[in-house]
């Protein structure tokens, strides 16, 4: 008997319109849908008017369920794997069943669609030519800091997923290890409260006190920061920016010195020249 196919189907990350015609057709045609949270997926299927047997497939049963899915695939059944939102297998379950399927000569077929990190990146205004995605940082303090030490060495745009209740602490950890870098927070993408918050970590911590909803942290690549700190023009531009925001001279000098990691006096010298 011919093996079935394993489809990896992207679903919306908020706005239910963000699903492709092909994804809908595949969900209608397969024999089973393997879902991270079956109740959650049921809402999407009801919206699409699709009725299909669901198999629960999540982090804690991935090993056992991979075996069950594999048996069904070997029996010629086609399966669509979905996660709660976005592209499955990316910071979501699925890697194990994909590996097992391939080992058994079963094709894994990607069905493209919404992916939170890509949409955050394209509208971030940061460098998109090279970027690196680290997913969620560890909940263990030591491992988290070790990973941030590794991230510090990257000179590419860095993308991280984070839960809202951990966001502020993670921003403080990034600030401690990487310095007061320029970042972008992409929040609630494709939803009513979609928002991009841009600024240095200290600026964002000052104004963003109670994170709600889903967030992605994007960190500007580090060599841009170094170039800026050596560049008089950019410091002047930064000064003008803070001036427009109503900050007084001493506050601006303090802010620029902190975000560039240079002594206040150095910034002060630039400002003096500007005033000459
Ligand atoms: N596999 C999904 C993807 O890549 O599209 C991501 C799943 S992961 C478990 C969930 C994380 O993705 C959230 O904590 C958040 O960091 C990010 N995320 C998902 N949907 C989002 C949205 N609408 N807006 C902002 N971030 C989102």
């Amino acid at each position: 008997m011919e093996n079935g196919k394993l489809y990896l189907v992207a679903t919306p990350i908020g706005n239910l319109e963000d699903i492709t015609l092909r994804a809908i057709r595949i969900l209608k045609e397969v024999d089973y849908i393997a879902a991270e949270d079956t109740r959650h997926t049921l809402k999407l299927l009801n919206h699409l008017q699709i009725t299909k047997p669901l198999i629960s497939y999540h982090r804690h049963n991935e090993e056992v369920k991979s075996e069950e899915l594999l048996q069904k695939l070997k029996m010629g059944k086609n399966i669509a794997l979905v996660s709660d939102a976005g592209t499955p297998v990316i910071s979501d379950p699925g890697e194990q069943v994909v590996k097992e399927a391939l080992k058994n000569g079963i094709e894994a077929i990607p069905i493209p669609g919404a992916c939170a990190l890509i949409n955050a990146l394209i509208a971030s205004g940061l460098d998109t030519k090279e970027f690196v995605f680290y997913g969620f940082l560890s909940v263990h303090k030591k491992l988290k800091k070790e990973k941030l030490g590794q991230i510090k060495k990257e000179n590419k745009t860095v993308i991280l997923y984070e839960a809202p209740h951990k966001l502020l602490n993670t921003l403080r950890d990034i600030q401690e290890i990487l310095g007061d870098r320029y970042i972008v927070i992409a929040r609630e993408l494709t939803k009513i409260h979609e928002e991009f918050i841009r600024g240095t970590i200290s600026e964002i911590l000052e104004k963003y006190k109670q994170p709600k909803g889903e967030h992605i942290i994007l960190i500007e690549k580090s060599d841009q920061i170094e170039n800026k700190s050596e560049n008089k023009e950019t410091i002047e531009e930064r000064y003008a920016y803070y001036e427009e925001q109503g900050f007084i001279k001493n506050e601006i000098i303090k802010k620029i010195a902190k975000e560039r990691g240079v002594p206040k006096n150095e910034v002060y010298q630039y400002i003096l020249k500007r005033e000459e």
Side-chain angles (χ1 to χ4, degrees):
M1 181 188 294
E2 212 181 307
N3 284 330
K5 292 193 175 84
L6 175 64
Y7 294 97
L8 309 169
V9 181
T11 57
I13 54 170
N15 188 326
L16 290 182
E17 288 177 352
D18 294 329
I19 184 159
T20 68
L21 297 174
R22 185 171 173 221
I24 297 171
R25 177 175 61 76
I26 298 289
L27 291 175
K28 281 183 181 156
E29 286 177 3
V30 289
D31 299 295
Y32 298 95
I33 297 175
E36 196 184 355
D37 178 342
T38 50
R39 280 172 310 175
H40 188 96
T41 297
L42 205 53
K43 285 186 203 148
L44 175 70
L45 296 180
N46 287 340
H47 173 77
L48 298 170
Q49 298 180 317
I50 297 174
T51 315
K52 202 56 69 175
L54 289 169
I55 301 172
S56 142
Y57 181 92
H58 52 73
R59 281 260 176 269
H60 307 292
N61 68 10
E62 208 168 341
E63 207 163 313
V64 185
K65 289 292 175 156
S66 289
E67 192 46 42
E68 181 184 331
L69 297 186
L70 203 63
Q71 291 314 317
K72 290 194 160 40
L73 289 162
K74 282 181 178 168
M75 280 160 38
K77 302 291 183 198
N78 293 325
I79 299 176
L81 177 84
V82 299
S83 60
D84 284 353
T87 299
V89 194
I90 299 295
S91 296
D92 267 336
E95 194 175 305
Q96 189 159 353
V97 68
V98 170
K99 287 186 171 155
E100 291 298 324
L102 296 180
K103 264 192 236 158
N104 285 273
I106 296 163
E107 274 182 84
I109 303 166
I111 307 296
C115 183
L117 75 107
I118 294 297
N119 288 287
L121 176 67
I122 60 174
S124 68
L126 300 180
D127 198 307
T128 59
K129 285 180 280 306
E130 289 187 308
F131 60 91
V132 54
F133 173 59
Y134 276 84
F136 289 97
L137 294 175
S138 172
V139 290
H140 302 291
K141 239 184 154 64
K142 189 167 169 271
L143 295 177
K144 186 180 188 184
K145 296 212 164 165
E146 274 172 17
K147 189 62 81 180
L148 283 170
Q150 199 179 323
I151 291 175
K152 190 179 180 181
K153 296 184 195 133
E154 298 284 1
N155 66 342
K156 302 177 173 74
T157 303
V158 174
I159 309 174
L160 299 168
Y161 282 165
E162 191 49 291
H165 62 283
K166 294 194 207 138
L167 185 86
L168 297 181
N169 264 340
T170 295
L171 292 184
R172 286 185 203 107
D173 289 340
I174 297 173
Q175 189 180 36
E176 184 193 321
I177 293 172
L178 279 74
D180 198 16
R181 299 270 292 267
Y182 180 86
I183 62 165
V184 178
I185 306 270
R187 175 174 173 259
E188 292 286 89
L189 293 174
T190 79
K191 303 183 197 175
I192 297 169
H193 298 295
E194 177 178 280
E195 183 182 17
F196 286 84
I197 308 167
R198 298 177 168 89
T200 58
I201 298 175
S202 53
E203 285 166 359
I204 290 177
L205 285 173
E206 236 170 71
K207 63 183 178 197
Y208 194 48
K209 304 279 188 203
Q210 285 181 319
K212 281 201 190 104
E214 300 199 271
H215 298 78
I216 299 168
I217 306 169
L218 302 104
I219 310 172
E220 185 184 45
K221 72 180 209 177
S222 64
D223 66 357
Q224 287 181 358
I225 297 279
E226 280 155 22
N227 290 342
K228 273 186 192 164
S229 64
E230 288 162 10
N231 184 332
K232 290 181 194 178
E233 280 299 309
T234 311
I235 286 191
E236 286 178 351
E237 277 167 20
R238 200 79 189 131
Y239 190 92
Y241 164 78
Y242 282 129
E243 227 175 12
E244 255 172 45
Q245 306 233 324
F247 288 101
I248 58 165
K249 188 174 168 179
N250 280 350
E251 288 171 333
I252 301 176
I253 292 173
K254 212 166 133 190
K255 275 179 175 296
I256 297 178
K258 197 172 173 202
E259 70 189 38
R260 302 292 150 98
V262 294
K264 273 190 280 185
N265 194 33
E266 203 174 300
V267 182
Y268 187 63
Q269 294 307 318
Y270 284 132
I271 307 310
L272 277 183
K273 278 191 196 135
R274 184 179 178 269
E275 287 172 347
E276 273 171 13

